[in-house]
Coordinates of all heavy atoms in Angstrom, one line a residue:
D1 N 45.5 8.2 15.2 CA 45.4 8.8 16.5 C 44.7 7.9 17.5 O 43.8 7.1 17.1 CB 44.6 10.1 16.3 CG 45.4 11.2 15.5 OD1 46.6 11.3 15.7 OD2 44.8 11.9 14.6
C2 N 44.9 8.2 18.8 CA 44.3 7.4 19.8 C 43.0 8.0 20.3 O 41.9 7.6 19.8 CB 45.3 7.3 21.0 SG 46.8 6.4 20.6
F3 N 43.0 9.0 21.1 CA 41.8 9.7 21.6 C 41.6 10.9 20.7 O 42.5 11.8 20.7 CB 41.9 10.0 23.1 CG 42.1 8.8 24.0 CD1 43.3 8.4 24.3 CD2 41.0 8.2 24.5 CE1 43.5 7.3 25.1 CE2 41.1 7.1 25.3 CZ 42.4 6.6 25.6
T4 N 40.5 11.0 20.0 CA 40.4 12.1 19.0 C 39.0 12.8 19.2 O 38.0 12.2 19.4 CB 40.5 11.5 17.6 OG1 41.7 10.7 17.5 CG2 40.6 12.6 16.5
L5 N 39.1 14.1 19.0 CA 37.9 14.9 19.0 C 37.7 15.6 17.7 O 38.6 16.2 17.1 CB 38.0 16.0 20.1 CG 38.1 15.6 21.6 CD1 37.0 14.7 22.0 CD2 39.5 15.0 21.9
K6 N 36.4 15.4 17.1 CA 36.2 15.9 15.8 C 34.8 16.6 15.8 O 33.9 16.3 16.6 CB 36.2 14.8 14.7 CG 37.6 14.1 14.6 CD 37.5 13.0 13.6 CE 38.9 12.3 13.5 NZ 39.9 13.2 12.8
A7 N 34.6 17.5 14.7 CA 33.3 18.2 14.7 C 32.9 18.6 13.3 O 32.3 19.7 13.1 CB 33.3 19.5 15.6
G8 N 33.2 17.8 12.3 CA 32.7 18.1 10.9 C 33.8 18.8 10.1 O 34.7 19.5 10.6
R9 N 33.7 18.6 8.8 CA 34.7 19.1 7.9 C 34.2 20.2 7.0 O 33.2 20.0 6.3 CB 35.3 17.9 7.1 CG 36.4 18.3 6.1 CD 36.8 17.1 5.2 NE 37.5 16.1 6.0 CZ 38.5 15.4 5.6 NH1 39.1 15.7 4.4 NH2 39.0 14.4 6.3
G10 N 34.9 21.3 6.9 CA 34.6 22.3 5.9 C 33.2 22.7 5.8 O 32.4 22.9 6.7
R11 N 32.8 22.9 4.5 CA 31.4 23.4 4.2 C 30.3 22.5 4.7 O 29.3 23.0 5.3 CB 31.3 23.7 2.7 CG 32.2 24.8 2.2 CD 31.9 25.2 0.8 NE 32.8 26.2 0.3 CZ 32.7 27.5 0.6 NH1 31.7 27.9 1.4 NH2 33.6 28.4 0.1
D12 N 30.5 21.2 4.6 CA 29.4 20.3 5.1 C 29.4 20.4 6.6 O 28.3 20.3 7.2 CB 29.7 18.9 4.6 CG 28.4 18.1 4.5 OD1 27.5 18.5 3.8 OD2 28.3 17.1 5.2
G13 N 30.5 20.5 7.2 CA 30.5 20.6 8.7 C 29.9 21.9 9.2 O 29.2 21.9 10.2
R14 N 30.1 23.0 8.4 CA 29.5 24.2 8.8 C 28.0 24.2 8.6 O 27.3 24.8 9.4 CB 30.1 25.4 7.9 CG 31.5 25.7 8.3 CD 31.6 26.4 9.6 NE 30.8 27.7 9.6 CZ 30.5 28.3 10.7 NH1 30.7 27.8 11.9 NH2 29.8 29.5 10.6
R15 N 27.6 23.5 7.6 CA 26.1 23.4 7.3 C 25.5 22.7 8.5 O 24.4 23.1 9.0 CB 25.9 22.5 6.1 CG 24.4 22.2 5.8 CD 24.3 21.3 4.6 NE 24.9 20.0 4.8 CZ 24.3 19.0 5.4 NH1 23.2 19.1 6.0 NH2 25.0 17.8 5.6
V16 N 26.1 21.6 9.0 CA 25.5 20.9 10.2 C 25.7 21.7 11.5 O 24.8 21.9 12.3 CB 26.2 19.5 10.3 CG1 25.7 18.8 11.6 CG2 25.9 18.7 9.1
N17 N 27.0 22.2 11.7 CA 27.3 23.1 12.7 C 27.0 22.6 14.1 O 26.3 23.2 14.9 CB 26.7 24.5 12.5 CG 27.3 25.6 13.4 OD1 28.5 25.5 13.7 ND2 26.6 26.6 13.7
R18 N 27.5 21.4 14.4 CA 27.3 20.8 15.7 C 28.6 20.6 16.4 O 29.5 20.0 15.8 CB 26.5 19.4 15.6 CG 25.1 19.6 15.2 CD 24.3 18.3 15.2 NE 24.2 17.7 16.6 CZ 23.3 16.8 16.9 NH1 22.5 16.3 16.0 NH2 23.3 16.3 18.1
P19 N 28.8 21.1 17.6 CA 30.1 21.1 18.3 C 30.3 19.7 18.9 O 29.4 18.9 19.1 CB 30.0 22.2 19.3 CG 28.5 22.2 19.7 CD 27.8 21.9 18.4
T20 N 31.6 19.5 19.3 CA 31.9 18.5 20.3 C 32.3 19.3 21.5 O 33.1 20.1 21.5 CB 33.1 17.6 19.8 OG1 32.6 16.6 18.9 CG2 33.8 16.9 21.0
E21 N 31.6 19.0 22.6 CA 31.8 19.8 23.8 C 31.5 19.0 25.1 O 30.8 18.0 25.1 CB 30.9 21.0 23.8 CG 29.4 20.8 23.7 CD 28.6 22.0 23.5 OE1 29.1 23.1 23.6 OE2 27.4 21.9 23.3
N22 N 32.2 19.4 26.1 CA 32.0 18.8 27.5 C 32.5 17.4 27.4 O 31.7 16.4 27.5 CB 30.6 18.9 28.0 CG 30.1 20.3 28.0 OD1 30.9 21.3 28.0 ND2 28.8 20.5 28.1
V23 N 33.8 17.2 27.3 CA 34.4 15.9 27.1 C 35.5 15.7 28.2 O 36.4 16.6 28.3 CB 35.0 15.6 25.8 CG1 35.7 14.2 25.7 CG2 33.9 15.8 24.7
V24 N 35.4 14.6 29.0 CA 36.4 14.3 30.0 C 37.1 13.0 29.6 O 36.4 12.0 29.4 CB 35.8 14.3 31.4 CG1 36.9 13.8 32.4 CG2 35.3 15.7 31.8
I25 N 38.4 13.0 29.6 CA 39.2 11.8 29.4 C 40.1 11.6 30.6 O 40.9 12.5 30.9 CB 40.0 11.9 28.1 CG1 39.1 12.1 26.9 CG2 40.9 10.6 27.9 CD1 39.9 12.4 25.6
R26 N 40.0 10.5 31.3 CA 40.7 10.4 32.6 C 41.2 9.0 32.8 O 40.6 8.0 32.3 CB 39.9 10.9 33.8 CG 38.7 10.0 34.0 CD 37.8 10.6 35.2 NE 36.7 9.7 35.5 CZ 35.8 10.0 36.4 NH1 35.8 11.2 37.1 NH2 34.8 9.2 36.7

């Protein structure tokens, strides 16, 4: 993938629970 947004995987991602937010690609 070129430009990609991610925020953690499954149970470990839920434990951390940090979003990706407020992103501008222009």
Side-chain angles (χ1 to χ4, degrees):
D1 291 320
C2 295
F3 300 90
T4 310
L5 296 307
K6 298 178 179 292
R9 181 184 294 221
R11 293 190 183 280
D12 204 60
R14 286 291 298 163
R15 175 185 63 81
V16 175
N17 198 29
R18 293 186 63 164
T20 282
E21 59 187 353
N22 303 342
V23 178
V24 172
I25 302 172
R26 64 185 185 183

